[in-house]
Amino acid sequence: MKVDGKSLETIWLQEDVLHVIDQRALPHELSIVQLKTVEEAAIAIKEMWVRGAPLIGVTAAFGMYLATIEASHSNTPETYILQAARLLKAARPTAVNLEWAVDQQLEAISKKDDLSDKIAVSKAVALRLKKEDAEVCKQIGVHGLPLIEAISKAKNGKPVNILTHCNAGWLACVDWGTATSPIYQAFDQGINLHVWVDETRPRNQGARLTAWELGKHGIPHTVIADNTGGLLMQQGRVDLCIVGTDRTTRTGHVVNKIGTYLKALAAKDNNIPFYVALPSSTIDWDLADDFSTLPIEERNSEEVSYISGGTQNGTVQVRLTPKESNALNLAFDITPSRLVTALVTERGVCEASEIGLKLLFEKK
Ligand code: MRU
């Protein structure tokens, strides 16, 4: 997408150094950070310099490429590569795109005998996954656009009010975003719209990242505290909700940023469509209805007890809660498929169910 007139993606390779937008610094500073080793790629994922399911996957794919280069300095290159895969997979547990990308790399690498061929193939896989992610996200927008268009027509061109949670924008992917792709494409076609941006405590991906993205594209938006959405829905000020996901079961249950479930409940109660946009790389084909095996990330409780913001001296963190109070930081929740109006994928819009997904992705 364009930032101040210049085209920008979230990740690129330059002379075997991975460059990523450092999302910790946004919205106060657009800072690019270099990742030179697989260990640095794993840290960037774990500490959320990069985040969002699709971008986590693409970063891990490039991390595997860096690992194959590093393996040439090891006496046991095969073991080195397997250890790197384990390191990357352990960086964040919930986004299924992470293991999806690393497993594709392992499969391609294992088919080559010479290390130079392993290096070449893993570079090709990483570049392919990056390119495909941008294309797939664009297609999600193509399929999601008519949903917004229909509401716009029904409202005779009055602004379509869209509520989104967290950041499922281009910063979470390579380009376009998932939930934001239909929004960008609708806006670019001249549809009158406005986005309610959930701040998304505790890390405030909505307030910091989605608001920044939408602002750079000139899209009218308003940041709201997480608890505001329900009232806005009761007041008739939300026409549709659209969010992303980190893992969707093959039966259509949606794991996404903590707080998504509450928005889906409120949307159901108020008869408001609740859409989930996702690339097929986010579908967990092994998981049906048994949530006990579903990895929900628990992050450091300091993300809850502290809050950060920009000052003239850069980003600072201040304590929010009493020192004596415990804090719990569960990063994702599960929205049952019955609360999801439809899934918006690169192949089209479908029911959030096993049949719906099968009809679109028969081959898998
Ligand atoms: O913890 P995060 O910021 O990585 O969580 C991101 C989300 O929950 C997104 O909605 C999801 O990854 C989809 S991104 C296109």
Side-chain angles (χ1 to χ4, degrees):
M1 302 298 287
K2 287 223 161 70
V3 175
D4 302 331
K6 276 195 204 148
S7 287
L8 190 62
E9 292 180 324
T10 50
I11 187 165
W12 64 96
L13 194 66
Q14 202 175 317
E15 290 164 12
D16 288 341
V17 175
L18 195 53
H19 291 64
V20 294
I21 296 177
D22 182 351
Q23 301 195 22
R24 296 167 303 172
L26 286 169
H28 313 294
E29 194 190 341
L30 177 58
S31 160
I32 308 301
V33 70
Q34 298 188 357
L35 309 174
K36 295 182 178 155
T37 63
V38 63
E39 204 182 337
E40 286 176 2
I43 291 170
I45 295 170
K46 193 177 171 64
E47 303 299 331
M48 296 175 68
W49 310 1
V50 291
R51 38 137 312 277
L55 182 58
I56 289 172
V58 174
T59 307
F62 280 109
M64 285 301 294
Y65 169 53
L66 298 178
T68 56
I69 299 173
E70 288 161 32
S72 55
H73 306 297
S74 164
N75 293 331
T76 50
E78 308 265 343
T79 312
Y80 189 94
I81 290 168
L82 287 175
Q83 276 170 351
R86 271 199 292 275
L87 176 76
L88 286 165
K89 281 189 185 186
R92 287 195 77 191
T94 301
V96 75
N97 306 58
L98 177 55
E99 48 190 280
W100 171 85
V102 172
D103 285 343
Q104 284 197 54
Q105 283 285 29
L106 285 176
E107 198 189 338
I109 292 166
S110 69
K111 285 188 182 143
K112 303 288 176 189
D113 292 328
D114 292 346
L115 192 53
S116 59
D117 292 338
K118 288 182 191 291
I119 294 172
V121 81
S122 78
K123 182 177 186 177
V125 169
L127 290 171
R128 174 174 61 78
L129 292 185
K130 177 187 160 180
K131 189 165 174 264
E132 282 176 5
D133 187 70
E135 287 165 2
V136 157
C137 284
K138 192 170 180 191
Q139 282 309 307
I140 290 172
V142 168
H143 294 297
L145 167 64
L147 304 171
I148 301 176
E149 226 164 21
I151 295 175
S152 172
K153 274 199 189 119
K155 288 186 80 176
N156 289 323
K158 288 209 190 97
V160 180
N161 285 301
I162 303 169
L163 184 139
T164 192
H165 190 67
C166 194
N167 173 260
W170 68 268
L171 286 170
C173 307
V174 172
D175 209 349
W176 288 102
T178 57
T180 56
S181 185
I183 297 175
Y184 286 127
Q185 297 193 33
F187 179 79
D188 289 349
Q189 295 214 359
I191 291 178
N192 192 0
L193 56 83
H194 164 264
V195 183
W196 297 111
V197 179
D198 280 353
E199 62 175 347
T200 320
R201 278 285 291 151
R203 286 189 67 109
N204 295 310
Q205 290 95 326
R208 297 191 302 107
L209 306 175
T210 305
W212 181 82
E213 268 197 52
L214 295 175
K216 289 290 171 200
H217 205 82
I219 295 188
H221 63 280
T222 307
V223 178
I224 49 175
D226 286 328
N227 298 325
T228 312
L231 177 66
L232 290 174
M233 291 184 207
Q234 286 174 326
Q235 291 177 332
R237 296 166 76 188
V238 178
D239 295 305
L240 80 146
C241 304
I242 185 160
V243 300
T245 167
D246 278 72
R247 188 182 290 251
T248 287
T249 71
R250 68 163 191 272
T251 44
H253 304 301
V254 170
V255 184
N256 192 45
K257 182 52 54 194
I258 194 84
T260 303
Y261 172 47
L262 293 178
K263 292 301 138 63
L265 280 172
K268 184 79 170 178
D269 195 43
N270 289 281
N271 232 347
I272 292 165
F274 189 90
Y275 295 110
V276 178
L278 70 157
S280 51
S281 52
T282 305
I283 301 167
D284 184 339
W285 295 102
D286 295 328
L287 199 63
D289 298 331
D290 174 13
F291 298 147
S292 62
T293 54
L294 210 162
I296 296 286
E297 179 178 21
E298 181 170 348
R299 295 186 62 82
N300 193 326
S301 65
E302 290 195 350
E303 291 181 354
V304 173
S305 50
Y306 285 77
I307 194 157
S308 66
T311 69
Q312 280 176 336
N313 304 321
T315 301
V316 294
Q317 270 207 325
V318 292
R319 185 158 191 118
L320 197 61
T321 58
K323 279 199 195 87
E324 309 73 38
S325 298
N326 291 326
L328 175 66
N329 188 8
L330 298 175
F332 297 93
D333 62 22
I334 307 161
T335 300
S337 58
R338 67 188 155 78
L339 300 179
V340 178
T341 308
L343 302 172
V344 186
T345 78
E346 72 268 26
R347 293 214 186 156
V349 178
C350 72
E351 190 183 270
S353 69
E354 188 152 13
I355 293 175
L357 282 168
K358 261 194 188 152
L359 283 174
L360 282 186
F361 297 97
E362 197 76 69
K363 225 175 58 196
K364 306 213 176 194

